[in-house]
Structures are given as structure tokens and as C-alpha cells.
Amino acid sequence: MTMSAGWYLRRLSAMGPREVGGRTVDAVRRRRWRSARPVCPTVTGVRFTAVLPPGTIASVAPDAAKRLVAEADRLMAGHAEYFGVPRDDLVDPDWAYDPKTGRRAPWGYAFDVPYRDEDAVGDVKQIWELSRHQYLTVLAAAYALTGDERYAERVAAHLRSWWAANAPLRGVHWTSGIELGIRLLSWVWVRRLLDGWPGAAGLFEENPVALRQIWHHQRWLAAFPSRGSSANNHVIAEAAGQFAAACAFGWFPSSARWRADALRSLDRHLRSNTFLSGLNRELASEYHGLVLELGLAAVAEADAAGVPVPATVRIVLLRMTDALAAVVDDRLRPPRQGDSDDGYGLVVDGEGTDRWGSLLATGDAVFGRLPWWPEVTGTDVRTPLLTALVRPRRPAVSRPASRPTHFADAGLTVLRGPGGIWCRCDGGPHGFLSIAAHAHADALSVEVRQGGVDVLADPGTFCYHGQPEWRRYFRSTLGHNTLQLDDGDQSVSGGPFLWTRHARSRVLVADTSDPGVARWCAEHDGYLPSVHRRRVELTAGSRELRIVDEVRGGPRRAVRLAFHLGPSVVADLTGNRAELHWSRDGEDRSATLDLPGELSWRAHRGESEQPLGWYSAGFGRKEPATTLIGTGFTDGTEFTTVLGFHG
């Protein structure tokens, strides 16, 4: 996907004068760096001291260790899967190769690489993901758990290979700050987990090539931070990686300055990226997890190095953890709101480990769980490793006495009913900052589960680059459980990570005080002069969810009302009634969906010419799922939908 002149104009219009000035300075610096070849300062006699406390490895639960070692053995055999694409070449990987398209990213000065152009580079996320080196943290953790030097030797071979193939400022792996930041964090943990292996010092602190790479990564991050309208989760990853490296690898003349600057940036941007309620301002659930992971990892490095951290950092992370505990369903799954690209801050666990349970377990160890938190029954490797470094220090801040259901600043409300009924209602801002990069046009959408099963599902994300028609669909209004007018989106897209007009929503009612009936009502102005208003009621006794849509004002307009079913739900549509069936844990479940009779209803499944009827469980993966679409016109009537759960 190449960017047109029109895109550049739209992108420029989303920037303020200060951001334009900063980006101009960046452009000048990039030109100067093309010919300037700075030399990494010589450092000798340095030691790595940011080791795990004695006994940490022994505290890892046996089942978590078993999963990790199984994952490491798959990696040792060369097998992995990234974004739905299997790889069997990890014994000796080609760092520029994209297995999805078969292309190799071109070599050359980093800022000349057209990484957004899939025809020239391949799918850049496929190329970047391996070079985050999070699979190497898994191998290093396997060494720490087993003492088997095969894992350490493979890590060393791959790092030496990567350093040789990716000289500073050359190639696709030097184009994006988030990649450098996460890679630095991985290297810190690789060195920590390999401590005790005889070759660890020779791989890192006694290796001029490694020192040069670490120094150039930090120099790059200090020079090119994400700015202004791009200061979202990327800037958190940049600051966290820079800070971790400056703490653990604080061997250079600039280390103290890098550490101080990165900590200031981390503190500032954690606060700016997070609502006071604790939810992430991007309103993209998986980025909430990524930012929380990065923040906790940074605090662990600070405490390991004895670096004081502003109280506000811990307060934000505490609020984020409480917010996560509040919004998950009874299977510890958070909402599927906004973009998701399966990004992790730190990976030291095997397949089958619950990411969200792991984060709550870490939050419990660091901050202490509240009585209303859901129980976490699973185990993980990351929690004991991270928390072994963190000094117990709970912020003096008030915490919710009961489980929050409405987050007014984020416009997110969770209605809960008997039998594990969970309903997320979206009445919040369109997204974060002027471009709202990771937002979807999903105002007033609902997401409904029972027992953790998606019944009315948010279809997900699927892709970013290279497949524009799919990118448009998965973040469109029609791609969510809400109402569309005149075949247009509520908010206007200017590119794959750019919105030029944002629908404004406001919540009118969010009342969960009555245990018998929970009520929510909101409206948005994305279709002016018309206003879309939606009311939702969840009645506990009848286990019934009632959704009423109203279009207020404006001319007569075409309507499409969409309900996307989860991939495990089978639907039998007759007229305006759909009988729904699915199973969970060997038990058959069912519900009836009575749809507005004023609209004509059709079921769609797995349609590709004009994408419709799909569910993306993770980045790069999609599967057919049933979508019910009702079409008609606004004629001053209300459209009432009733979802009734059986049994």
C-alpha cells in the first residue's frame, strides 16, 4: 500500500504547528544521518548486574514451565506461526523474508525503505514480528528453567546472525521506533535469562558488535520519538524499551541522559494515553494490554536498577489493572474494541497461557487484588519473573470499592446478567488524538457474550497493510453491531490509520443499580442532520437483551442494521426471527434473536467480493461467520431487536 499525495495532505492537516516543526527537524536529521557515520563510544570492563534474585526460577509453576519448554522445543525445531502464517525456517531465518508474500525487503538506507508498499517489501508486519526477538526471550527462558545450553546457543547464534544482517540504519528493521523499543526490551530479558550461561558476557557486554547495536538503537530512539498525532502506544514502547536498556545496559556516556529522558516520556505518555478511569485512550482493548505490559516491564527495570519512578507511573498502571479486572467477561476475555495486532510487550510464556489472566496475576502481585476482582486460576512464567524485580510499593490512591460497570470518560459500559451474560455498550470518543489511528467506526455498537462465547461479536481487525478492502471492512460501521445510514461510515476515513472526521457520541443513561434491569442509552452525530440514538436494556429475570434504535431528525434515509454472530454460533433465519445455537464446554446453548420487522433481513457468510460475514480471532486470521443485515428506510419508527437466552 503506497500513500498518495492526497493522503499526505490529509495527514498534514491532522498535525499542529509544533508537530510539523518536529517532523521537519526529523527529516533534516534523517538526511544528515545518511552520510554521517557516528562511532559507538568504546566501553570496557562493564558488567551486567540486573539479574534475577536467587530463587526466582524455582518459583515458576511446573505447568507454566512445561508449556514454555514445549514452545521452546517447537522453536528449536524451526516451527512457529505469526499472524496465521506458519514458518518452518526458524533454525536459520532470513531476517528480510516475508513468508506470506514470498518477498524480501530491499536493502539500503533505512529511511528510504518503502515499508508501507507490500509490492516492494512484502507484509512488513510478518518481517518485523520475528525481529522483535520475543521468540528469543522464550528460548532464553527455557535455558533459565532447564539449564540446557542448546537453547542459549541458539539464542546466541540468532542474535549474531541478526546483528550481522542488520547494520545500524540499514534495512527495514531500522524504520519504526516501536520495533526498536520492543527489541531492546527483549535483549534486556535475553541477557537476564542467560545469566549463568558461560557465553552470556561474551555475547553482550564483551562483544563490540552487540554494544554497537545497543548504542545505535538508543541513539535512534532518542532522535526520532513518535510525535504529536502519532504519540499513541508506539511512544510508550519506544520509551519503555529505551528506559529498560538505559537501566540494564547503562554502559555508555549518554546512558544517564537517555534513562532520564525516557522515564520522563514514559510518565508523560502513560498519563496522556490513559483515561482517569484506567482505560486506554485509544479504545483498542489489545493496546490496553500492550501498554500495561510495557509499563510493568519498565517499572521492573527501574526497581532492579534502583531508579526512582514518579508516583504517577505506578498510579496509572494500578488504574489500568483495576480497569482490566472490571471489564473482562467471566472467562477473563476483555472487549474486542478497536484495532488489534497481537502485539505483546514481553513474551516468556508458552502457547495456552492466558494473556489477560497473566496480567491480572501480575497486577495482584504488584498492587494487590480487590475483593471484586475475578479469580485467576491459571499460571504463567512472566508474573514470577517480573514481580521478582519489583519492589512492593502500592500507590496511595483510592480504588473502586465495587466492580465498575460504567467508564464515563471512555464511554464504555458493561451490562452483566445471569448465566455469564456480558454486554459491552460503546458510547465513547471515536479514538485518540487527531488521527484516531486505531479506532473503528463503531459508535453505539454492542458486543454480547454468554459464558465467554461471542454471540453478537465484534468481528476484529484482520489486517493493516496490503489489503485495503479488508482493512476498510473490518473497521467500517457495517462491520460492527450498529446502524448505518446511506451506505456510509459514521466517521470518515482518510487512510488505513487516519480518520478525517470523527463521530461524537454521548451516553445519556448508564444505570446498573437495579439488579433486575440494567439500562443504557447513547447517541452520536455521525450522520448529521440525523442523530442515531440507541437504548439497551438487559433484564435479569427473563435473560433478555432489548436494543432499540431510533434515527432522530433529517430526511428519509436508507438504513442497514447489522448483527455479527460469533463464529461458533449457528443461525436459522426465518423472516425476522433467527434461532441461534452454539455449544460451550460440551453443553448446547441457544437463544432467539427477534429482529425489527420494519426491515428486510438476509444472512451473509464468508462473502469476499464485497467483504461481509467474517470474524478475525487474531491478526492475519479470518474465518466465516454469520452476519444478519436488515435493510430499509428511516420513517420515524423505532427498530427494536430482542435477544432472548434460553435455559
Side-chain angles (χ1 to χ4, degrees), residues 430-510:
H430 175 63
F432 182 48
L433 302 173
S434 60
I435 63 173
H438 291 297
H440 290 187
D442 57 358
L444 309 197
S445 64
V446 296
E447 184 183 1
V448 182
R449 302 174 191 159
Q450 185 187 41
V453 174
D454 292 305
V455 180
L456 300 183
D458 184 302
T461 298
F462 179 55
C463 67
Y464 283 167
H465 301 287
Q467 298 171 282
E469 70 282 6
W470 291 99
R471 175 67 171 151
R472 283 192 294 269
Y473 169 67
F474 274 98
R475 63 183 199 145
S476 70
T477 298
L478 188 63
H480 295 84
N481 297 316
T482 189
L483 182 143
Q484 181 196 56
L485 295 182
D486 294 340
D487 297 330
D489 287 336
Q490 311 150 336
S491 296
V492 177
S493 172
F497 298 100
L498 171 64
W499 295 91
T500 57
R501 183 173 60 78
H502 303 183
R504 294 175 299 175
S505 302
R506 62 173 183 150
V507 175
L508 305 174
V509 176

Side-chain angles (χ1 to χ4, degrees), residues 6 33 100 142 171 185 191 211 224 229 262 295 303-304 344 485 502 597 634:
W33 281 23
K100 177 181 168 185
L185 184 59
R191 175 60 185 89
L211 293 172
F224 301 114
S229 55
D303 287 356
Y344 285 75
L485 295 182
H502 303 183
T634 60

Side-chain angles (χ1 to χ4, degrees), residues 385-462:
L385 299 188
L386 267 181
T387 56
L389 299 174
V390 177
R391 298 177 183 174
R393 194 177 302 140
R394 296 177 183 175
V397 62
S398 62
R399 299 173 68 183
S402 59
R403 191 174 200 171
T405 58
H406 177 57
F407 296 80
D409 47 11
L412 184 149
T413 306
V414 176
L415 311 180
R416 297 177 188 272
I421 298 173
W422 175 98
C423 173
R424 171 182 66 88
C425 303
D426 179 7
H430 175 63
F432 182 48
L433 302 173
S434 60
I435 63 173
H438 291 297
H440 290 187
D442 57 358
L444 309 197
S445 64
V446 296
E447 184 183 1
V448 182
R449 302 174 191 159
Q450 185 187 41
V453 174
D454 292 305
V455 180
L456 300 183
D458 184 302
T461 298
F462 179 55

